[in-house]
Coordinates of all heavy atoms in Angstrom, one line a residue:
G92 N 13.4 23.2 -7.1 CA 14.2 22.8 -6.0 C 14.8 21.4 -6.3 O 14.3 20.7 -7.2
Y93 N 15.9 21.1 -5.7 CA 16.7 20.0 -6.0 C 16.6 18.8 -4.9 O 17.3 17.8 -5.0 CB 18.2 20.3 -6.1 CG 18.5 21.4 -7.1 CD1 19.0 22.7 -6.7 CD2 18.2 21.2 -8.4 CE1 19.2 23.7 -7.6 CE2 18.4 22.2 -9.4 CZ 18.9 23.5 -8.9 OH 19.2 24.5 -9.8
C94 N 15.7 19.0 -4.0 CA 15.5 18.0 -2.9 C 14.1 18.0 -2.6 O 13.4 19.0 -2.3 CB 16.4 18.4 -1.7 SG 16.2 17.2 -0.3
G95 N 13.5 16.8 -2.5 CA 12.1 16.7 -2.1 C 11.6 15.3 -1.8 O 12.4 14.3 -2.0
I96 N 10.4 15.2 -1.3 CA 9.8 13.9 -1.0 C 8.4 13.9 -1.6 O 7.7 14.9 -1.6 CB 9.8 13.5 0.5 CG1 9.2 14.7 1.3 CG2 11.2 13.2 0.9 CD1 9.1 14.4 2.8
G97 N 7.9 12.7 -2.0 CA 6.5 12.6 -2.5 C 5.8 11.3 -2.0 O 6.5 10.4 -1.5
H98 N 4.5 11.3 -2.1 CA 3.8 10.2 -1.5 C 2.4 10.0 -2.2 O 1.8 11.0 -2.6 CB 3.5 10.5 0.0 CG 3.0 9.4 0.8 ND1 1.6 9.2 1.0 CD2 3.6 8.4 1.4 CE1 1.4 8.1 1.7 NE2 2.6 7.6 2.0
T99 N 2.0 8.7 -2.4 CA 0.7 8.4 -2.7 C 0.1 7.7 -1.5 O 0.6 6.7 -1.0 CB 0.6 7.5 -4.0 OG1 1.5 6.4 -3.8 CG2 1.0 8.3 -5.2
R100 N -1.1 8.2 -1.1 CA -1.7 7.7 0.2 C -2.9 6.8 -0.1 O -3.7 7.1 -0.9 CB -2.1 8.9 1.1 CG -2.8 8.5 2.4 CD -3.2 9.7 3.2 NE -3.8 9.3 4.4 CZ -5.1 9.4 4.7 NH1 -6.0 9.9 3.8 NH2 -5.6 9.0 5.9
W101 N -3.0 5.7 0.7 CA -4.1 4.9 0.8 C -4.7 5.1 2.2 O -4.0 4.7 3.2 CB -3.8 3.4 0.5 CG -5.0 2.5 0.4 CD1 -6.1 2.8 -0.3 CD2 -5.1 1.2 0.8 NE1 -7.0 1.7 -0.3 CE2 -6.4 0.7 0.4 CE3 -4.2 0.3 1.5 CZ2 -6.8 -0.6 0.7 CZ3 -4.7 -1.0 1.8 CH2 -5.9 -1.4 1.3
A102 N -5.9 5.6 2.3 CA -6.4 6.1 3.6 C -6.5 5.0 4.7 O -7.1 3.9 4.4 CB -7.7 6.8 3.5
T103 N -5.9 5.2 5.8 CA -6.1 4.3 7.0 C -6.7 5.1 8.1 O -7.6 4.7 8.8 CB -4.8 3.6 7.4 OG1 -3.8 4.6 7.6 CG2 -4.3 2.6 6.3
H104 N -6.1 6.2 8.4 CA -6.6 7.1 9.5 C -7.1 8.4 8.9 O -6.3 9.2 8.4 CB -5.4 7.4 10.5 CG -4.9 6.2 11.2 ND1 -4.1 5.3 10.7 CD2 -5.1 5.8 12.5 CE1 -3.8 4.3 11.5 NE2 -4.4 4.6 12.7
G105 N -8.4 8.6 8.9 CA -8.9 9.8 8.3 C -9.3 9.6 6.9 O -8.9 8.7 6.2
E106 N -10.3 10.5 6.4 CA -10.8 10.4 5.1 C -9.7 10.7 4.1 O -8.7 11.4 4.4 CB -12.0 11.4 5.0 CG -13.2 11.0 5.8 CD -14.3 12.0 5.7 OE1 -14.1 13.0 4.9 OE2 -15.3 11.9 6.4
P107 N -9.9 10.3 2.8 CA -9.0 10.6 1.7 C -9.2 12.0 1.2 O -9.6 12.2 0.1 CB -9.3 9.5 0.7 CG -10.7 9.2 0.9 CD -11.0 9.3 2.4

Side-chain angles (χ1 to χ4, degrees):
Y93 305 116
C94 179
I96 52 179
H98 190 266
T99 51
R100 175 180 185 253
W101 191 37
T103 55
H104 296 75
E106 296 179 2

